[in-house]
Amino acid sequence: MPAELVCFEAACRARFAITELIYSCPRCGGLLEVAYSGPFLPPETLRQLWRSRRLNNAPLDQSGVWRYREMVAFLEDYSAVVSLGEGNTPLIEAPRAAAWAGLERLSFKHQGYNPTGSFKDNGMTCGVAQALRLGMRRVACVSTGNTSASMAAYASAAGLQAIVFIPHGNISYGKLAQALEYGALTLQVEANFDQILALVRTLAERLGIYLLNSINPFRIEGQKTIIVELMEQRDWDPPDWIVLPGGNLGNTAAFGKALREMLERGLIRRLPRLAVIQAEGAAPFYELARRGAGALEPVRAPETLATAIRIGDPVSWPKALYEVRVTGGVVEKVSEQEIADAKAIIGRCGIGCEPASAATLAGIRKLRAAGIIRAGEDVVAVLTGNLLKDPDYIYKYHTRSLQTPGGELLSSTYANQPVVVPNDPDRIAEILG
Ligand code: F0G
């Protein structure tokens, strides 16, 4: 199945070899995507093949990305692929969260169960495979923390040097700790995500370092498998809605591409609608969708406690806008208070997630109240990161000291405060009733 790089701009559609070292279209500057020209196996053959691979112990077949390699068929040779057991994440019913949001049913596809605790691993195994194929020795990214954790892990496992650029003081310690522990050269830059991305793009070109931000189309390919796996878990019955948080918008691009390709290949019969949720203080894509025309206007100083999505100038917006439109989707924004309470509810389900992921449930509740999502509709929310990524946020919420970036105290509506007790059985028995 031959693969090529194709410019995403409808007016350009220039084509390039899959091994070309480019991150945007040399002709028009547009985003690039991987395109396959077939022939494709029939859907029933693919479904059986993917199911049978679950019984095979080969790492490639056990990977929740490479098991579906017919959907990410850009390599000729899989011998250099590094898998850490990515994907294979659960789809969990959450009745309590459903009731809170006003739905009859809701399930979470939890990407926080990945090896480094976020959905980035699905894309990173592909991005690193392409880096190896191109003979690159060093890889780099700017990150709000999860991309850097994932890249550091996969690069080290592959014997590549990882260089991560992070906004100084604005990523959680859990994520910073991962980059350090996995052995990445870690540069804390005194600038925000958007400013550092421009810097890293220049440096990557000048120094011959392979760029692994989600502008890299091979990362997007890997993230498609989140949706393939989801559909397999649902026996190929698409939900009405797939809800996800939006930051740099790579995941929105990946989910839309996966859905379109699955529809084209007969794996699903209809497209679910995408609902992209942004944090109020970093919502340029929401504003663009509301205006309905023109180009994205960056937010110069994005602010949110959900630091993973603290991004004002998302690179993948043209792809994301296209995918939202094709699926009849919507874009919503939610407040810090709504995110914090939604997150506590996800915790009470025994599931848990990091703040950015909880924007999904907050958004569902809001879209439900507005009548855009109906009570009986079938909704899947994608939880993008693990609860332990940002314990500081959780401790502050439950001890009633969580403040917005502007310094306003949030209400800890569902606080569960720890209780300090003396070493005294009578006193403790009294407290326990
Ligand atoms: N949720 C989490 C936990 C994330 O880490 C990110 C992005 C998103 C949602 C948004 O996804 O960018 O594809 O729209 N984190 C990036 C990073 C930017 O550097 O780790 P997106």
Side-chain angles (χ1 to χ4, degrees):
M1 196 189 331
E4 278 179 307
L5 287 169
V6 179
C7 175
F8 190 75
E9 288 301 315
C12 178
R13 297 304 281 176
R15 309 180 88 82
F16 306 93
I18 199 75
T19 48
E20 196 110 13
L21 185 53
I22 46 177
Y23 309 103
S24 52
C25 176
R27 207 174 293 170
C28 78
L31 296 167
L32 294 172
E33 71 172 3
V34 179
Y36 306 100
S37 47
F40 306 111
L41 290 171
E44 212 32 62
T45 312
L46 283 175
R47 288 173 185 160
Q48 277 168 18
L49 183 63
W50 294 339
R51 179 141 294 196
S52 70
R53 282 182 185 152
R54 288 182 181 275
L55 302 175
N56 191 334
N57 284 325
L60 214 59
D61 288 350
Q62 281 300 306
S63 161
V65 170
W66 298 105
R67 175 182 307 132
Y68 309 106
R69 51 193 175 269
E70 288 73 17
M71 296 294 291
V72 292
F74 59 87
L75 291 176
E76 278 138 18
D77 171 11
Y78 293 96
S79 59
V81 166
V82 172
S83 170
L84 296 172
E86 55 286 331
N88 297 309
T89 63
L91 180 63
I92 311 166
E93 286 285 335
R96 194 163 181 167
W100 185 78
L103 289 174
E104 286 163 23
R105 266 188 60 198
L106 172 64
S107 49
F108 290 120
K109 172 75 173 153
H110 206 326
Q111 293 303 112
Y113 284 61
N114 261 296
T116 78
S118 86
F119 71 97
K120 306 291 181 180
D121 295 340
N122 285 66
M124 205 53 75
T125 185
C126 288
V128 164
Q130 182 69 5
L132 291 169
R133 170 203 220 166
L134 296 175
M136 307 300 283
R137 302 303 312 153
R138 297 196 288 178
V139 293
C141 69
V142 53
S143 179
T144 55
N146 280 325
T147 298
S148 45
S150 182
M151 189 190 80
Y154 281 83
S156 287
L160 300 175
Q161 190 193 8
I163 307 164
V164 312
F165 294 76
I166 50 178
H168 185 40
N170 273 304
I171 78 167
S172 73
Y173 272 117
K175 298 173 189 179
L176 174 58
Q178 286 182 289
L180 301 177
E181 188 82 352
Y182 293 134
L185 171 59
T186 304
L187 305 175
Q188 297 179 278
V189 188
E190 288 167 328
N192 70 28
F193 178 92
D194 307 301
Q195 296 161 327
I196 306 171
L197 181 55
L199 174 80
V200 176
R201 284 180 79 165
T202 313
L203 281 173
E205 200 149 323
R206 192 195 297 175
L207 303 176
I209 302 170
Y210 194 58
L211 190 61
L212 277 174
N213 276 101
S214 59
I215 193 169
N216 183 312
F218 299 95
R219 287 244 342 256
I220 301 294
E221 285 307 289
Q223 286 171 211
K224 286 188 329 194
T225 60
I226 298 167
I227 297 299
V228 183
E229 186 177 84
L230 167 66
M231 294 302 170
E232 187 183 42
Q233 285 165 317
R234 292 179 51 100
D235 294 323
W236 310 102
D237 177 25
D240 296 311
W241 292 92
I242 295 176
V243 187
L244 74 160
N248 214 16
L249 299 172
N251 224 16
T252 308
F255 286 13
K257 186 172 193 270
L259 290 168
R260 285 187 287 112
E261 289 178 352
M262 291 174 78
L263 188 72
E264 279 162 23
R265 297 179 198 184
L267 286 159
I268 54 173
R269 281 196 307 278
R270 62 184 178 88
L271 294 177
R273 302 171 73 182
L274 290 176
V276 182
I277 317 296
Q278 296 209 288
E280 235 169 43
F285 189 54
Y286 165 81
E287 293 301 335
L288 173 67
R290 201 176 54 86
R291 280 199 315 277
L296 180 128
E297 283 174 22
V299 171
R300 292 284 159 221
E303 280 298 356
T304 170
L305 295 178
T307 49
I309 51 174
R310 188 174 179 266
I311 294 175
D313 192 5
V315 284
S316 290
W317 74 261
K319 286 183 177 178
L321 187 64
Y322 176 80
E323 305 301 355
V324 166
R325 285 187 177 150
V326 164
T327 65
V330 297
V331 186
E332 186 54 275
K333 64 174 181 180
V334 289
S335 67
E336 297 297 314
Q337 184 67 57
E338 289 169 318
I339 293 174
D341 288 337
K343 188 173 131 55
I345 294 291
I346 297 168
R348 290 285 176 91
C349 295
I351 295 173
C353 65
E354 69 164 280
S357 310
T360 55
L361 182 63
I364 292 167
R365 192 178 202 224
K366 205 165 168 183
L367 291 168
R368 184 57 208 99
I372 295 168
I373 296 181
R374 290 195 306 276
E377 284 190 298
D378 188 350
V379 183
V380 175
V382 178
L383 299 181
T384 44
N386 192 285
L387 169 128
L388 290 172
K389 287 279 190 176
D390 196 351
D392 192 47
Y393 180 106
I394 303 176
Y395 183 77
K396 285 183 180 152
Y397 180 86
H398 289 291
T399 54
R400 303 186 185 280
S401 57
L402 188 64
Q403 293 182 357
T404 66
E408 233 174 277
L409 189 67
L410 289 171
S411 303
S412 295
T413 321
Y414 307 104
N416 178 26
Q417 206 140 358
V419 186
V420 181
V421 292
N423 184 10
D424 173 352
D426 295 337
R427 184 71 190 98
I428 295 174
E430 197 180 302
I431 291 167
L432 298 181

